């Protein structure tokens, strides 16, 4: 990761972004991963307490978001009323975007929460709690018209099972899939470029835009395939197209909504290779964290695949909050008690 962040900062010298972005990103990731580690000690009762707080806030969070969506962002507007010069539509648009981020974060951390429900709750409470959590999450995303969350949950499910039955293979497959999504990302642009006009016309406008965005990003990649266009350069591209409803929009909305393509476009082949190696380097520490424990294997595998899916269609490569979520989710795996701990306490605590 040190080499990756160093290359990103160097790439800013020929791009139009701030060189300090790479350094800030490295600090953000380190802090977000270190905070839970500082909170966690080897004293089991403290981990149990933190687990209980985490599970309670997870359930409360998805419930509040579903209620807020159902009330037309009533909770948002109650605690932060509209100012005299603010527009209701703009505020609701901002709330919808922020809610979408929240739902994606909960989807990525769902395997972690399910493992905690299974190992920390009393027997008989696991299944009802898991059903309530997933139902509230899906209800909120449906009200928000966010299709990516069900996709993340569905694609992660078989990998969670693999991680549970074989933690080693789950870790290999999830890290391999994440790494491949970065290294082979230009294939996404090639596929997008091959889509016919008839096929594009049948897609929702958001996906029509994504395919055009990925096609355009591929063109930018081919302009500087080795070193890229420079860190955060995707924000500077202004070329656009006219949608089917006659609205002019830029090809790239802040970022390509695919971490692999953004890495290739801004940091080139060198950046993509370094990013791939950084992902693979996680195998050692995660293997030591997981060991042969079934629920830790399920959680890590599910989180990594969920991250890979979300990274491929919705988030930006250098968004600090996203890297923070990844670091936080992987750090909190330590809260899942191992089978040895459970056997010594005769059940979940």
């Amino acid at each position: 990761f040190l080499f990756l962040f160093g290359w990103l900062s160097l790439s800013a010298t020929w791009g139009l972004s701030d060189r300090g972005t790479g350094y800030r990103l490295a600090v953000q990731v380190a802090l977000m991963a270190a905070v839970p580690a500082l909170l966690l000690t080897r004293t089991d009762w403290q981990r149990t307490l933190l687990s209980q707080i985490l599970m309670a806030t997870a359930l409360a969070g998805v419930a509040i978001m579903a209620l807020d969506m159902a009330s037309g962002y009533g909770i948002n507007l109650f605690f932060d009323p509209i100012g005299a010069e603010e527009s209701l539509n703009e505020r609701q648009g901002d709330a919808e975007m922020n809610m979408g981020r929240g739902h994606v974060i909960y989807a990525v951390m769902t395997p972690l929460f399910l493992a905690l429900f299974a190992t920390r709750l009393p027997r008989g409470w696991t299944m009802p709690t898991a059903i309530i959590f997933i139902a509230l999450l899906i209800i909120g995303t449906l009200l928000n018209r966010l299709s990516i969350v069900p996709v993340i949950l569905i694609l992660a499910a078989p990998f969670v099972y693999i991680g549970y039955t074989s933690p080693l293979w789950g870790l290999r497959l999830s890290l391999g899939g994440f790494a491949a999504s970065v290294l082979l990302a230009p294939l996404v642009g090639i596929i997008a470029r091959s889509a016919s006009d008839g096929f594009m016309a049948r897609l929702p406008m958001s996906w029509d835009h994504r395919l055009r965005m990925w096609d355009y990003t591929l063109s930018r990649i081919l302009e500087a395939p080795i070193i890229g266009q420079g860190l955060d350069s995707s924000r500077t591209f202004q070329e656009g197209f006219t949608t089917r409803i006659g609205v002019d929009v830029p090809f790239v909305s802040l970022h390509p909504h695919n971490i692999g393509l953004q890495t290739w476009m801004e940091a080139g082949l060198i950046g993509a290779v370094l990013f791939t190696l950084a992902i693979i380097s996680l195998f050692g520490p995660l293997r030591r964290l997981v060991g042969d424990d079934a629920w830790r294997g399920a959680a890590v595998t599910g989180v990594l695949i969920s991250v890979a899916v979300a990274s491929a269609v919705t988030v930006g490569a250098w968004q600090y909050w996203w890297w923070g979520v990844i670091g936080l989710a992987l750090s909190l795996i330590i809260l899942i008690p191992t089978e040895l701990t459970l056997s010594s306490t005769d059940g979940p605590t």
Side-chain angles (χ1 to χ4, degrees), residues 59-288:
L59 286 166
V62 291
I64 291 172
M65 287 198 300
L67 181 60
D68 194 35
M69 295 298 305
S71 63
Y73 308 106
I75 298 177
N76 258 292
L77 298 177
F78 176 79
F79 287 101
D80 187 13
I82 300 175
E85 298 181 357
E86 289 184 302
S87 166
L88 175 61
N89 289 336
E90 290 181 359
R91 284 291 305 278
Q92 288 181 330
D94 291 340
E96 181 178 354
M97 180 180 65
N98 291 328
M99 283 291 182
R101 289 179 177 178
H103 285 127
V104 170
I105 291 171
Y106 274 111
V108 165
M109 299 186 74
T110 290
L112 167 66
F113 295 139
L114 295 182
L116 288 173
F117 295 156
T119 56
R120 291 291 189 181
L121 291 178
R123 292 183 177 89
W125 286 37
T126 299
M127 188 61 68
T129 305
I131 291 174
I132 292 171
F133 174 82
I134 293 176
L136 288 171
L137 177 59
I138 292 177
I139 289 171
T141 57
L142 292 177
L143 291 172
N144 201 18
R145 304 184 301 278
L146 192 66
S147 60
I148 184 57
V149 167
V151 172
I152 292 173
L153 297 178
I154 292 171
L155 293 179
F159 287 92
V160 170
Y161 176 77
I162 294 172
Y164 182 85
T165 56
S166 178
L168 176 59
W169 274 104
L171 187 57
R172 286 173 174 170
L173 290 174
S174 56
L175 281 175
F178 191 12
S181 71
V182 173
L183 189 62
L184 304 179
L187 294 177
V188 175
I190 295 173
I191 294 172
R193 179 164 295 183
S194 66
S196 66
D197 292 338
F199 175 76
M200 299 278 281
R202 293 192 296 270
L203 292 175
M205 290 188 62
S206 61
W207 280 100
D208 176 286
H209 190 185
R210 272 181 174 78
L211 292 182
R212 295 178 189 275
M213 191 184 311
W214 295 339
D215 181 6
Y216 175 84
T217 302
L218 178 63
S219 299
R220 288 292 189 170
I221 290 172
L222 296 175
E223 293 176 358
I226 304 301
I227 64 173
Q229 301 279 355
L231 181 66
D232 223 20
S233 58
S234 58
R235 293 176 179 269
T236 67
F237 302 139
Q238 301 300 320
E239 293 89 345
F241 69 100
T242 303
T243 67
R244 70 184 69 155
I245 61 173
V247 178
D248 294 329
V249 297
F251 280 111
V252 178
S253 299
L254 298 180
H255 53 78
H257 291 69
N258 180 293
I259 280 181
L261 283 174
Q262 185 174 354
T263 302
W264 272 88
M265 180 173 66
E266 298 182 4
L269 172 63
I270 296 174
V273 170
L274 290 174
F275 199 163
T276 301
L277 293 176
I279 293 171
I280 294 174
S281 73
L282 294 174
F283 179 81
L286 289 178
R287 177 60 180 156
R288 291 190 291 273

Side-chain angles (χ1 to χ4, degrees), residues 45-57:
W45 74 265
Q46 290 179 314
R47 290 187 181 179
T48 302
L49 176 62
L50 189 56
S51 298
Q52 293 168 344
I53 294 172
L54 183 62
M55 289 186 289
T57 54

